[in-house]
């Protein structure tokens, strides 16, 4: 009886040891790929406690979190023959743990190499302006180039972003001068446009004031009110140009009137002289006749 009890206890202990050796825990961020006698099972193990057949099964855990991998700086020549250095970052995750475990030896290293070659390729196909301003399109094209081979490894590329574009110092100085010249050109165009619009408005205002002279006087009074509101000790009164023109016209009219009067006065005495000249000899004859 005692021997039977001992045997049962020994068997139970062996069973517990076997179960303990075959028990595995898969974390929430992992998936388990089981190899039975060296052959991968088609279904992977979900997170939690899972049991393996001792000696026959081996399990490899694959992380399914989104991984962030920086792409080393790649130097290349753009399509418009500019030497640049570009670095990027790749976000990817494992979607098929079984394929990631058996199709590629190290999927992280493989994705990194594909990202570097794809980045050099995208540099050669793009212009400098695209690298600096149209990055969204380059990100999409770069992600598609990396995702094509990675899909066969059970890896999905979530996003690829270009972090920095390093330019030669000579090119930076040239771009700085170009940007400065462009800003100066815009400033001159804006100033000229403002002067043109102001000239148009002033021309319209002058036509209105020429049609209604009272508008000039009202504008003068408004200017005086605005200047007086500043509480200055000296008040500068603007003198309308139209008033000067009025005085000029009045002076010309007075001058023309005086000139006309002088001509009339000079011409008036000459008529009596011509009329009196014939009378003098007649008077002399008459006096001579009387003497005789």
């Amino acid at each position: 009886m005692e021997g039977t009890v001992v045997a049962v206890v020994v068997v139970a202990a062996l069973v517990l040891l076997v179960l303990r050796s075959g028990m595995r825990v898969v974390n929430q961020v992992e998936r388990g790929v089981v190899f039975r006698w060296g052959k991968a099972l088609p279904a992977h193990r979900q997170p939690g406690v899972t049991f393996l057949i001792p000696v026959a099964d081996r399990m490899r855990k694959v992380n399914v979190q989104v991984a962030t991998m920086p792409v080393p700086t790649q130097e290349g020549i753009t399509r418009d023959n500019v030497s640049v250095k570009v670095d990027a970052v790749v976000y990817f995750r494992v979607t098929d743990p079984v394929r990631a475990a058996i199709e590629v030896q190290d999927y992280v290293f493989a994705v990194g190499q594909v990202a570097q070659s794809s980045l050099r390729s995208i540099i050669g196909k793009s212009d400098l302006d695209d690298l600096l301003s149209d990055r969204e399109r380059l990100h999409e094209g770069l992600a598609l180039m990396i995702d094509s081979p990675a899909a066969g490894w059970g890896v999905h590329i979530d996003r690829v972003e270009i972090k920095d574009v390093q330019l030669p110092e000579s090119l930076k100085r040239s771009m700085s001068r170009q940007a400065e010249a462009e800003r100066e050109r815009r400033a001159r165009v804006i100033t000229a446009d403002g002067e043109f619009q102001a000239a148009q408005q002033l021309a319209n205002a002058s036509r209105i004031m020429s049609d209604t002279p009272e508008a000039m006087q009202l504008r003068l009074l408004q200017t005086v009110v605005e200047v007086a509101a500043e509480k200055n000790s000296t008040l500068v009164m603007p003198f309308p140009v139209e008033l000067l023109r009025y005085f000029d016209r009045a002076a010309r009219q007075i001058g023309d009137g005086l000139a006309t009067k002088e001509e009339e006065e000079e011409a008036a005495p000459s008529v009596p002289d011509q009329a009196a000249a014939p009378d003098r000899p007649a008077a002399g004859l008459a006096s001579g006749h009387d003497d005789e």
Side-chain angles (χ1 to χ4, degrees):
M1 186 64 183
E2 292 179 358
T4 304
V5 173
V6 172
V8 171
V9 172
V10 172
V11 171
L14 291 175
V15 171
L16 291 175
L17 289 175
V18 170
L19 293 176
R20 176 65 183 83
S21 63
M23 185 177 66
R24 297 290 186 275
V25 177
V26 180
N27 296 327
Q28 181 66 36
V29 298
E30 296 175 336
R31 301 294 183 268
V33 180
V34 178
F35 295 88
R36 180 166 297 170
W37 301 113
K39 185 178 180 180
L41 299 182
H44 59 270
R45 301 297 174 90
Q46 295 294 332
V49 179
T50 183
F51 293 92
L52 305 177
I53 299 176
V55 181
D57 292 347
R58 295 289 184 274
M59 186 175 68
R60 178 181 175 183
K61 297 179 181 180
V62 178
N63 195 315
V64 294
Q65 289 178 299
V66 176
T68 304
M69 182 181 62
V71 181
T73 302
Q74 303 297 315
E75 185 174 1
I77 300 177
T78 61
R79 190 168 56 181
D80 50 353
N81 299 325
V82 179
S83 178
V84 295
K85 295 180 179 180
V86 182
D87 56 354
V89 59
V90 181
Y91 302 91
F92 66 94
R93 58 187 176 87
V94 176
T95 56
D96 191 345
V98 177
R99 300 182 69 177
I102 64 177
E103 294 294 338
V104 61
Q105 183 178 5
D106 188 351
Y107 65 88
V108 177
F109 179 77
V111 170
Q113 295 302 310
V114 173
Q116 294 181 31
S117 59
S118 300
L119 183 58
R120 287 194 295 268
S121 177
I122 207 72
I123 291 173
K125 295 179 181 179
S126 304
D127 294 332
L128 179 61
D129 294 339
D130 296 335
L131 291 175
L132 297 177
S133 60
D134 193 11
R135 291 190 179 183
E136 289 297 330
R137 184 178 60 83
L138 297 181
H139 294 168
E140 295 177 359
L142 192 57
L144 183 62
M145 294 177 64
I146 302 175
D147 191 59
S148 297
W153 306 331
V155 178
H156 174 69
I157 305 299
D158 285 345
R159 185 172 179 82
V160 182
E161 293 184 357
I162 296 176
K163 294 194 300 182
D164 187 24
V165 178
Q166 301 178 13
L167 304 176
E169 292 298 328
S170 58
L171 182 59
K172 289 182 180 179
R173 290 192 295 269
S174 300
M175 294 176 66
S176 178
R177 290 194 299 269
Q178 179 183 0
E180 184 178 358
E182 179 66 20
R183 288 193 296 269
E184 185 176 357
R185 183 188 68 83
R186 291 180 182 177
R188 291 182 177 179
V189 170
I190 293 173
T191 303
D193 188 34
E195 294 292 339
F196 176 74
Q197 295 180 6
Q200 284 184 332
Q201 296 300 326
L202 290 175
N204 296 333
S206 64
R207 284 193 293 269
I208 295 174
M209 290 182 179
S210 63
D211 296 338
T212 56
E214 295 81 2
M216 177 64 72
Q217 186 66 23
L218 293 176
R219 183 56 182 157
L220 175 60
L221 295 177
Q222 184 180 359
T223 303
V224 172
V225 171
E226 292 178 357
V227 173
E230 299 295 331
K231 298 180 180 180
N232 295 325
S233 59
T234 303
L235 180 61
V236 179
M237 292 291 295
F239 201 76
V241 179
E242 294 296 332
L243 188 58
L244 294 176
R245 292 177 180 174
Y246 171 76
F247 288 144
D248 187 20
R249 289 194 298 268
R252 289 181 181 179
Q253 292 177 359
I254 294 173
D256 294 340
L258 293 176
T260 304
K261 289 182 179 181
E262 290 178 356
E263 292 178 356
E264 291 177 354
E265 291 177 355
E266 291 177 356
S270 61
V271 175
D273 293 340
Q274 294 176 357
D279 294 341
R280 291 179 181 176
L285 291 174
S287 60
H289 179 71
D290 292 337
D291 295 335
E292 293 178 356

